[in-house]
Amino acid sequence: MAEKFYLTTAIAYTSGKPHIGNTYEIILSDSIARFKRMQGYEVFFQTGTDEHGQKVEDKAAAKGVTPKQFVDEVAGDIKRIWDLMNTSYDKFIRTTDADHELQVQKLFKKFYEQGDIYKGSYQGLYCTPCESFWTESQLVDGKCPDCGREVKPAEEEAYFFKMGKYAERLVKHIVTHPKFITPVSRKNEMMNNFLLADEFIGKSDEELLSAIDKGELKCKLQDLCVSRTTFKWGVPVDFDSRHVVYVWLDALTNYITGIGYDTENPTEQYKKLWPANVHIIGKDIIRFHTVYWPIFLMAMGEPLPQTVFGHPWLMQGGDKMSKSKGNVLYADDLASVFGVDCVRYFTLHEMPFENDGTITWELMAERNNSDLANTLGNLVKRTLSMTNQYFGGVAKNTGVVGEVDEEFIVTVTSIRDKVSAKMEEYKVADALDLLWTLFRRANKYIDETTPWILAKSEESKPRLSTVLYNLLEAINIGANLLYPFMPATAEEILAELGAQKREFESLNKFALEAEYAVTNAPKTLFERVKMADIQPKIDEIVAKQLAEATPAVEEEKVPEISIDDFAKVKMQVGTVIACEAVKKSKLLHETVKVGNKTLSILSGIAKHYTAEEMVGKKVIVVTNLPPREMKGIKSEGMIVCAEAPDGTLSIVSPEKDIPDGSVLS
C-alpha cells in the first residue's frame, strides 16, 4: 500500500484577485505534490479560500453586494487562476462551506466546555487588514507591526483562548522536532519574538529542555482573542449569538475539516491523512501556523503537522505591488505573454528557499530566452532535427561508444537522486537548477561529439546513431523529471520523442528504450522574445490596471484641535548622524543631533530607506514624546514622514538649511 502524503497551502483570502506572489504558493505546492505522486506516494493536495472577516464585510458593503456574493465572485476568480496554472489540487475548500462552518462551531464549543476558552473583554489597538489586536508596546512607530498600517482603539466583549496553558508544551515540541518549522530562521523568529521570555532568548535547545524539565521555563505568549462582536460576517458562536469566531480560528481549522475531521466522529479519510506532512504558507503568516494552530491542535488532542514551510515572498522588482502604480503582476497576464509553463518555471526557479525573490517583465523575458528557449528548447529541437535528417527519424543504440559517453551517462543517471534530495527539503529552485545541469550537459555533449561531422562518413554512422540515441535518452529522463514543474512541456517533449512516461524507479537507468522514433515535425517549445515586441501588450495590461485602480478613499475625518493643543507638540530640526537597521524588523535606529543633544530614535521606515541613505539627512523630529523601548532599544522621539496613498513613505525635511535644534512654529 502506497504511503500517504498530505500537503496543504494557506487558503487565499478573498479580498481581491491574487497577484503572482500569492499564486507562487499554489505553483510551489503543486510541484511538490506532483513530485511526490511521481515517487509513488498517495498524495492528497488541499487548497482553498479564506472568506470571513471584517475586511470582506467592508469591501462587500463598499461594492453594494452581500458578503457571500462578494466572496463567491473572488473565490471563483482564485479557482480560475489556480486551474489556469495547471495545478493538481485534490480539494478546494471554502470556509463558507456548510460542513466547515459546523465543525468550527463544534470546536469552539469544545474548547469552551473544556476550559480553554473564557469570556472577557478586550481593549486594545486593532488592525483591520490583519484582523489583529495589538498592545501599545507592540506597535512600530504607532502602526501595526505586521503590515505597517494604521491601528484604531477598539474595545469589545470577546472570548479568549488560554494560549499560555500550552506554551511550554509547544516550545518543547519545536525544540524536539527540528523539521517542524522550516527554514530554521522562521523557527528562531517564532521562539524569540512570540514564545520565549526575554531571559530565555538565545538559549540552546539543551538549555531550554533543561528549563522545561525543572519547571523554570518562562514564556511571553498572551491569551488570544478568538471572537468578535463588531461585525457579523463570520461563523456564529452557536451558544452566544452576539459573537462570531475569530477569523484565524475559523481559517486554520480548514486543514482538518477539509479531510473529514469531526469532534465526535472523524471520517476514515481524516484518520488516514492527518497529521499533514507539510503546510506550505507565506512567511508573513508563519506565527498563526506555528504558534496558534499547533496550540489549537494540542487542545483538540490531535497530532501536529510534521512540517510548516514558511516560504519567502516574490517581489515585483523589489518594490511593493500597487494597482495605483500599475505594477501588480498577475499570473493570467504573465501567462498571456509568456505561456503557463514559463510562468511556472520562473516563479519556481527564481524564488530562493529562504530569501525573497524578484520578478519583472524584463527578468521573465531574460529567463525565457536563456533557460527555456536556448538551453531546453534548442536542445530538443536540434536533437530531433538531426535524428530526422540523418536517420529518417529513428535512432538506435548501436553500442559504438566514445570516450565522453561514460561521464555523460553518469551525469544523466545521477540527476534523479540529486533532485529528490532537494525536493525532500522543499528546495525547489535548487532542484530545478540540478535538472538544468542535465540539459546543459546534453548541449555540451553535442558539441563534444560533433554529429554533423560524424554524418559525413558512412563508417561513423553507427557512432552517430548511438550519439543521437544517448541524447534522446537523456532528454527522455530529463522530461520525466521535468513533469512536476512544467507538466505540459514535459508531456509535449515525450510526445515528440514517441516515448511514454516512465516509472520513477527507472529514472536512474540508461538505455531502456530499444530505439526512438521521433516526430518528423519538431516544434519550437519556447519562442525567444524581445522586450520591444511584447511592450505594447505590457502597456495594455498596465493601462487596464490603472483604469481599474480603486479611487482614493475620502480622507477620514479627525476631530479638530485648538492652537493650544498644537502648541503642545514640539517639533525641531535635526540631522541624522548615524543609522543602522534593526535585525528582524522594519525598523531603522537613527542617532539624531538636535541642537546640543543627540536622540536615539526608532522609525519603521526600513522598507523605504536604507541606513546609509538616512545618514546626513535633515529631518523634523517630535522631541517631547515620552521615551519608549522597542526591540530592546530606547526611542526618544519620532521622525516626521508623509505617506502617499500607495503606502510609500517620504521623510519631511526643511526647505532651507537651518540649524539643528530650530523649533517649528
Side-chain angles (χ1 to χ4, degrees):
M1 184 175 178
E3 185 178 348
K4 70 91 177 174
F5 189 88
Y6 178 34
L7 169 150
T8 75
T9 71
I11 48 177
Y13 195 48
T14 49
S15 56
K17 180 180 178 180
H19 57 63
I20 188 61
N22 308 130
T23 309
Y24 159 73
E25 182 172 295
I26 190 75
I27 298 171
L28 171 70
S29 303
D30 181 64
S31 70
I32 295 169
R34 286 180 183 270
F35 197 87
K36 286 295 182 182
R37 290 192 193 103
M38 189 167 69
Q39 288 180 306
Y41 287 85
E42 185 177 349
V43 173
F44 194 87
F45 171 19
Q46 180 169 296
T47 187
T49 44
D50 175 8
E51 304 188 7
H52 292 125
Q54 186 172 349
K55 196 192 313 187
V56 167
E57 187 173 89
D58 291 346
K59 281 181 172 281
K63 200 172 179 180
V65 297
T66 67
K68 187 62 166 64
Q69 289 172 322
F70 182 86
V71 296
D72 282 349
E73 180 180 344
V74 177
D77 207 25
I78 291 169
K79 195 171 186 294
R80 175 186 66 81
I81 292 174
W82 283 196
D83 293 340
L84 171 68
M85 298 316 296
N86 197 9
T87 58
S88 59
Y89 56 85
D90 298 290
K91 171 77 181 255
F92 190 97
I93 187 173
R94 298 179 58 184
T95 57
T96 52
D97 291 343
D99 54 348
H100 169 79
E101 290 189 342
L102 175 61
Q103 294 308 319
V104 170
Q105 289 181 317
K106 291 169 74 172
L107 266 175
F108 195 97
K109 189 173 184 180
K110 173 184 173 72
F111 290 155
Y112 180 73
E113 290 177 346
Q114 67 189 29
D116 287 314
I117 285 179
Y118 64 92
K119 193 173 187 178
S121 63
Y122 200 98
Q123 182 174 2
L125 298 159
Y126 188 69
C127 174
T128 298
C130 293
E131 311 236 13
S132 297
F133 276 103
W134 302 101
T135 63
E136 184 74 36
S137 63
Q138 291 174 314
L139 302 182
V140 175
D141 275 358
K143 296 183 179 180
C144 173
D146 274 357
C147 71
R149 294 183 176 92
E150 297 291 340
V151 294
K152 296 180 180 179
E155 182 175 4
E156 60 182 282
E157 178 183 270
Y159 286 92
F160 294 83
F161 193 100
K162 296 178 181 177
M163 306 302 286
K165 177 178 174 181
Y166 299 92
E168 182 181 289
R169 182 175 161 190
L170 176 58
V171 170
K172 185 173 183 178
H173 183 87
I174 292 171
V175 169
T176 56
H177 294 76
K179 292 186 178 180
F180 178 59
I181 305 176
T182 189
V184 70
S185 60
R186 312 276 190 255
K187 167 197 165 184
N188 296 335
E189 179 188 352
M190 293 303 102
M191 294 284 272
N192 297 340
N193 293 353
F194 298 102
L195 286 169
L196 297 177
D198 290 346
E199 61 264 38
F200 287 92
I201 292 175
K203 298 286 187 184
S204 68
D205 289 350
E206 292 75 16
E207 289 172 316
L208 292 175
L209 288 174
S210 176
I212 291 171
D213 291 341
K214 295 175 183 177
E216 296 174 353
L217 184 72
K218 294 180 182 177
C219 297
K220 59 186 174 187
L221 190 58
Q222 298 178 343
D223 288 353
L224 179 68
C225 177
V226 290
S227 78
R228 300 294 310 281
T229 59
T230 53
F231 62 90
K232 292 298 182 186
W233 182 240
V235 179
V237 175
D238 59 356
F239 58 86
D240 194 340
S241 60
R242 291 185 60 246
H243 293 256
V244 294
V245 178
Y246 171 68
V247 66
W248 282 107
L249 178 54
D250 166 17
L252 289 165
T253 54
N254 90 89
Y255 304 125
I256 55 176
T257 63
I259 55 172
Y261 174 81
D262 187 290
T263 55
E264 298 154 353
N265 187 27
T267 65
E268 290 303 313
Q269 183 187 48
Y270 175 76
K271 294 174 186 177
K272 175 182 177 181
L273 292 176
W274 192 257
N277 294 79
V278 62
H279 289 322
I280 297 176
I281 50 107
K283 65 178 183 178
D284 53 323
I285 53 174
I286 192 82
R287 170 166 53 101
F288 302 101
H289 287 79
T290 60
V291 178
Y292 301 160
W293 176 227
I295 284 179
F296 294 154
L297 287 167
M298 288 174 180
M300 292 177 213
E302 297 296 317
L304 274 55
Q306 292 177 15
T307 297
V308 179
F309 172 30
H311 65 75
W313 290 340
L314 188 60
M315 307 290 286
Q316 209 291 60
D319 195 10
K320 181 181 178 182
M321 294 190 195
S322 167
K323 273 193 175 184
S324 63
K325 292 181 181 179
N327 73 342
V328 181
L329 297 180
Y330 295 109
D332 50 356
D333 289 335
L334 290 165
S336 72
V337 175
F338 295 105
V340 167
D341 270 10
C342 181
V343 177
R344 285 180 64 106
Y345 176 78
F346 185 93
T347 55
L348 294 173
H349 184 267
E350 296 302 304
M351 184 71 97
F353 177 65
E354 193 162 352
N355 301 316
D356 293 340
T358 298
I359 183 170
T360 64
W361 290 104
E362 292 79 7
L363 288 173
M364 282 280 298
E366 181 182 321
R367 192 59 73 186
N368 174 83
N369 294 345
S370 61
D371 290 7
L372 300 182
N374 288 359
T375 300
L376 176 58
N378 190 42
L379 168 66
V380 174
K381 189 168 185 177
R382 68 173 174 162
T383 301
L384 269 61
S385 296
M386 288 189 292
T387 304
N388 280 296
Q389 181 182 350
Y390 302 139
F391 294 104
V394 179
K396 299 179 181 180
N397 182 11
T398 64
V400 181
V401 299
E403 62 181 20
V404 298
D405 288 10
E406 183 178 355
E407 186 271 334
F408 174 65
I409 292 171
V410 168
T411 298
V412 172
T413 55
S414 67
I415 289 295
R416 185 202 72 172
D417 291 344
K418 292 178 180 179
V419 169
S420 296
K422 293 299 181 183
M423 292 300 288
E424 194 67 26
E425 299 177 294
Y426 307 121
K427 294 181 177 179
V428 178
D430 293 345
L432 272 175
D433 264 340
L434 286 167
L435 182 52
W436 247 252
T437 63
L438 184 156
F439 299 135
R440 285 191 286 269
R441 184 65 189 87
N443 278 309
K444 183 182 177 183
Y445 182 74
I446 294 175
D447 296 334
E448 291 170 334
T449 55
T450 59
W452 51 91
I453 295 176
L454 294 174
K456 292 179 179 180
S457 167
E458 284 300 318
E459 292 181 1
S460 57
K461 281 292 185 72
R463 170 61 181 155
L464 175 59
S465 183
T466 295
V467 165
L468 293 175
Y469 176 90
N470 288 347
L471 284 167
L472 293 166
E473 181 76 350
I475 292 169
N476 187 347
I477 291 172
N480 273 274
L481 290 170
L482 183 64
Y483 180 79
F485 314 105
M486 302 169 67
T489 300
E491 288 173 354
E492 189 169 3
I493 292 172
L494 291 175
E496 294 209 331
L497 296 183
Q500 302 296 317
K501 284 177 67 176
R502 289 184 181 177
E503 294 296 321
F504 185 77
E505 289 73 18
S506 71
L507 295 179
N508 63 349
K509 297 177 176 62
F510 206 81
L512 295 184
E513 304 290 339
E515 63 180 30
Y516 280 97
V518 304
T519 179
N520 60 6
K523 300 175 183 177
T524 299
L525 294 176
F526 295 94
E527 297 282 357
R528 289 181 56 82
V529 298
K530 295 179 180 179
M531 284 304 299
D533 294 336
I534 64 174
Q535 194 61 53
K537 175 68 173 177
I538 296 170
D539 292 342
E540 180 184 330
I541 290 168
V542 171
K544 183 180 178 183
Q545 274 189 33
L546 293 172
E548 294 174 350
T550 305
V553 179
E554 184 180 348
E555 186 176 349
E556 183 182 352
K557 292 183 179 180
V558 296
E560 294 180 348
I561 61 172
S562 69
I563 191 65
D564 292 333
D565 292 326
F566 179 73
K568 294 175 184 177
V569 182
K570 186 176 183 180
M571 290 187 284
Q572 294 177 266
V573 176
T575 299
V576 179
I577 59 175
C579 184
E580 61 181 355
V582 179
K583 291 182 180 179
K584 298 180 181 178
S585 77
K586 302 172 185 177
L587 298 171
L588 293 181
H589 177 209
E590 303 101 352
T591 302
V592 184
K593 183 176 178 295
V594 181
N596 59 2
K597 62 181 179 180
T598 59
L599 299 177
S600 167
I601 297 178
L602 289 169
S603 307
I605 57 174
K607 279 191 173 181
H608 307 274
Y609 292 91
T610 65
E612 292 77 12
E613 285 179 303
M614 288 298 296
V615 176
K617 280 190 180 293
K618 285 277 188 182
V619 293
I620 306 300
V621 183
V622 178
T623 56
N624 62 336
L625 291 171
R628 62 174 176 152
E629 189 172 298
M630 295 182 286
K631 299 286 184 181
I633 302 170
K634 183 168 67 171
S635 184
E636 302 173 298
M638 182 178 73
I639 292 176
V640 178
C641 300
E643 183 176 6
D646 64 5
T648 302
L649 292 181
S650 176
I651 297 293
V652 176
S653 300
E655 180 186 6
K656 296 179 180 179
D657 186 15
I658 59 176
D660 295 339
S662 299
V663 178
L664 273 68
S665 59

